[in-house]
Amino acid sequence: MGSKWRKAKLALGLNLCVYVPRTLEDSPPDSDDASTERLSDAALLSPGNWDAGHSRPMTPTPSSHGLRFSRSASKSSKTCSICLTKIKQGGGHAIFTAECSHSFHFHCIASSVKHGNQICPVCRAKWKEIPSHAPCLDLPPPLRGAPTNPARWANNEALVTNVRRLPPTQRDTNRRHIVPLFQAPEPGVFDDDELLDHHQPVFSEKSSSNDLLEGNFTSMVEIKTYPEVSAVPRAQSYDNFTVLAHLKAVPASKSSNQCQAYFLQAPRTPRAPVDLVTVLDISGSMAGTKLALLKRAMGFVIQNLSSSDRLSVIAFSSTARRLFPLRRMTDIGRQQALQAVNSLVANGGTNIAEGLRKGAKVMSDRKQKNPVASIILLSDGQDTYTVNNSGDSESKPNYQLLLPLSIHGADNTGFQIPVHAFGFGTDHDASSMHSISEISGGTFSFIETEAAIQDAFAQCIGGLLSVVVQELQVSIESAHPSVRLSSLRVGSYPSRVLVGGQSGVIDVGDLYADEERDFLITVNLPVEASNSETGLLKVRCIYRDPLTKEMVTIESEEVRVKRPETAEQEAATVSMEVDRQKNRLQAALAMSQARTAAEQGDLAGAASILENCRRVLAGSVSAKSGDRLCVALDAELKEIQERMASRHVYEASGRAYILSGLSSHSWQRATARGDSTDGSSLVQAYQTPSMTEMLTRSQAMLLGSPSTQRLIQPLWSLGSQPNPR
């Protein structure tokens, strides 16, 4: 009987979902019902919830729009397993109850079914009867002034019938048909990437690019150098004298001004456009809350990419599939990307290697390339197909097997794409995710609290959308015949001291706006016979400007140390900058040693290493002066100690927290771990203003702030222009 009644309702149009604006006559929801009245994640990702007055998707709020339906919905007090909000009579949402007795909001499940998913997201039962939207959800102009009260819709059967039979609006007639992406055939070669939106540099008649480089050009990188002490007596020598090379990328505002000097028609907030591939775990363990949060976070990413950025989505479980090709995030591109993400269903095992292989293939097969390219990898489990299936529990896993050669450049092609890995929850394999990021030149973030996934993604793309320097290489040259470089302390960056010790090289790569890099260079300081100063070294930076494609070279002043005859003649000043960077490297070394001890089962020894490091840091010059970095390092070491309280705590969160911290310090780049994305956290190392701004957008969206509509605006990249429509 129930089945017949459902068929009858579908035939009569009683289950028709209609998207209509909220009017002044509609009363606001009670405070008790506010949580259930918010739009679901599926609704958020639906193109129907975009503001018609904007050329890009906007984030709906409960006070601005809603999904309404004929009030013949079935009664239920259950929870929708897709959007995780209560299914409540009179809540303004249609309800679909499947043959397996599981209930969902109609718009949530219909969006999934639209892409070919005909199994229950909860129990995996295959359905014989599936929900589907009526042919039209967009009202044409003649009906936009029609009554919007749901009760009046229910009482006007002729109006409902007409709406159900109306053809698509004129606005959609030129759009190509969107094939459900899970059903679309996957090509053997991924060279179907959408062509770039080419806006070539236009130089003014008064100045060429060379003139700008040689004349009024402002470098995108600033170089400062600091010797560890300002003066050393002539008769004294050092075998390990430390010099700090400090690099800082220009702020985003200065980069924008510089671009406007280059381009006659510069768009708002110019930046380098991005090719981004997201490789997403949709194994069975992602079902429910995790998948809903992932969809919402991906919706945020899509909303904040501009029309010059391109996105591809890879979904993997037991196998991997390119869910969405590399496509520009225009209005249509965003709509299709949101639909693709909303079609995700969790099922199967975890094959990280296959997911990365598909992601690398998208990057290597593309016909054209944006200046910036990156892969985001998210997984909540352990790869059971490549690394952990040998059956030999004694052998150390070879995590490099998870990465295609084309990602980490081991095939000597010079092609390297950083993988920013995100471990989701407490069951992921932190060691493998950290190794993947380390080998590829990316970062590893630990999303301990599942709800923090959007903030973690926001911080990451805040950096990727602010690249101002590329292919940065730092060279150091001795400025004295007797001065030799002995070591370069640079974290995970590839570096080498050339034969003879007269020079050295550090390969840095990309820098985000406002990012800083600190490298400690160790040299010998010889005895000085008569000179009042000794020249030590020079630092040179060579990089590519991502906007102009020009290679730029800048050089620091020569680093010199005063050489008085006696120590009494001139007091030596200890460099606070050098001291604080020594503390940072010492803390990172202690974290690494503590992790090694913990992996060997010696948690007490690991805690002792961390405690000793905290004691040494507290006695340093910079710590005694109240240096903020030293305060943050001490807080981080203390947090790690607490996460080594027991074997269970270490396995659940300690390992991932340490590895994320090591990733952050080794690359000097922000990662998400613990509460690091919270503004009140002490552990916020390396966050840039662009990352903080994107975090603010994310948190405003999550809080449902009225300012969300103003905050969620894409950062327009080079060549992208607001759509005048």
Side-chain angles (χ1 to χ4, degrees), residues 523-535:
V523 301
N524 69 299
L525 182 64
V527 172
E528 188 66 64
S530 58
N531 294 327
S532 61
E533 286 186 331
T534 299

Side-chain angles (χ1 to χ4, degrees), residues 31 99 112 123 172 196 343 366 499 562 584 611 622 718:
S31 58
E99 304 142 70
S112 179
C123 66
D172 294 325
L196 301 179
S343 72
R366 56 190 167 149
V499 177
K562 295 180 180 179
R584 178 180 63 82
E611 184 61 36
S622 52
L718 175 65

Side-chain angles (χ1 to χ4, degrees), residues 615-693:
R615 190 159 44 248
V616 171
L617 260 58
S620 66
V621 175
S622 52
K624 289 179 179 178
S625 67
D627 178 66
R628 292 180 62 185
L629 175 60
C630 291
V631 173
L633 290 172
D634 183 74
E636 186 174 359
L637 292 169
K638 182 180 179 182
E639 178 72 19
I640 295 173
Q641 279 183 284
E642 293 174 356
R643 291 175 184 265
M644 290 183 169
S646 68
R647 192 72 202 171
H648 172 73
V649 173
Y650 176 74
E651 294 282 353
S653 68
R655 178 186 292 116
Y657 190 90
I658 292 177
L659 289 174
S660 183
L662 288 173
S663 175
S664 181
H665 290 303
S666 66
W667 297 113
Q668 298 182 56
R669 180 160 281 171
T671 62
R673 60 193 190 278
D675 61 352
S676 64
T677 55
D678 187 340
S680 63
S681 173
L682 288 174
V683 184
Q684 293 176 320
Y686 315 114
Q687 267 186 13
T688 67
S690 297
M691 295 178 182
T692 304
E693 179 190 353

